[in-house]
């Protein structure tokens, strides 16, 4: 069983920065692909950034150049550094852990953390 606990959300003015953290319990973090999603009111959940176990990162176009995903396997934590924030970035942000090894398929979500960007 894996638990994911996000933190770091809050209220920030447009142009500001926040760093989200997602701490994972258990022993599979280092072999897992980690994701950050977000869901704004009335909208579908959107994949924002992904980082593989090997450290390869990808981003949705709307955050490229502004967001950076990173991971610390020793701490079992994935981060999302968000710079130049815009009101459109306002959403609940969720982290997700995926790991597929043999017949084992792990898929866990955190509880979410609210990010609000004021104009």
């Amino acid at each position: 069983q894996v638990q994911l606990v996000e933190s770091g959300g809050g209220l920030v003015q447009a142009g500001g920065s926040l760093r989200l953290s997602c701490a994972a319990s258990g022993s599979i973090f280092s072999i897992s692909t980690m994701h950050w999603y977000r869901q704004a009111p009335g909208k579908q959940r959107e994949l924002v950034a992904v980082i593989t176990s090997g450290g390869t990162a990808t981003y949705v176009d709307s955050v490229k150049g502004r967001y950076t995903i990173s991971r610390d396997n020793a701490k079992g934590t994935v981060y999302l550094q968000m710079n130049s924030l815009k009101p459109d970035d306002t959403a609940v942000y969720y982290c997700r852990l995926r790991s597929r090894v043999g017949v084992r398929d792990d898929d866990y979500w955190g509880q979410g953390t609210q990010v609000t960007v004021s104009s």
Side-chain angles (χ1 to χ4, degrees):
Q1 187 74 12
V2 172
Q3 288 188 324
L4 301 174
V5 179
E6 297 109 332
S7 60
L11 173 64
V12 64
Q13 288 189 331
S17 298
L18 285 173
R19 189 176 82 152
L20 306 183
S21 300
C22 172
S25 65
S27 60
I28 62 172
F29 178 86
S30 64
I31 62 170
S32 301
T33 296
M34 298 301 298
H35 312 69
W36 283 100
Y37 286 76
R38 66 185 179 186
Q39 188 166 19
K43 295 187 177 180
Q44 290 189 332
R45 194 168 293 190
E46 171 190 39
L47 178 61
V48 174
V50 181
I51 187 165
T52 66
S53 58
T56 300
T58 56
Y59 303 90
V60 68
D61 285 347
S62 60
V63 308
K64 283 181 181 176
R66 300 190 298 122
Y67 287 16
T68 302
I69 188 171
S70 61
R71 65 190 295 158
D72 185 334
N73 288 338
K75 294 182 178 180
T77 301
V78 62
Y79 304 97
L80 187 68
Q81 178 67 43
M82 306 185 294
N83 299 327
S84 303
L85 283 162
K86 306 174 181 178
D88 283 350
D89 296 319
T90 295
V92 178
Y93 284 71
Y94 300 88
C95 67
R96 180 186 187 189
L97 178 151
R98 289 298 310 272
S99 176
R100 294 176 181 170
V101 178
V103 298
R104 179 171 175 169
D105 187 351
D106 292 282
D107 190 356
Y108 296 94
W109 290 82
Q111 81 288 352
T113 186
Q114 176 71 47
V115 171
T116 303
V117 184
S118 63
S119 57

